Amino acid sequence: PGHGVMCGEADILALRDYLQVTWDLTAEHIRLGHSADETAVDLTYLVFSPNKYERLHQANIRYMYQQQSK
């Protein structure tokens, strides 16, 4: 959504779910006192659209960590 080919409702819902799960899991890491580095390498995170956006995965986690740590 926002870049590339027009997507459908299922794509938007998948992105919403990915963002919510990532946000919630990041909040849990912060609550447990984990660093941004520890959080970013947690393999239990969902990866949005594997093989396409994997390169952004840790950056997304770090950004959410930063936003929640303010």
Side-chain angles (χ1 to χ4, degrees), residues 3 7-8 15 24 51 56:
H3 302 282
C7 63
L15 177 58
D24 293 344
N51 303 320
L56 300 173

Side-chain angles (χ1 to χ4, degrees), residues 37-56:
D37 290 334
E38 292 171 309
T39 302
V41 296
D42 180 352
L43 298 177
T44 61
Y45 277 96
L46 298 174
V47 177
F48 182 72
S49 194
N51 303 320
K52 188 172 183 182
Y53 297 109
E54 251 180 77
R55 63 186 171 78
L56 300 173

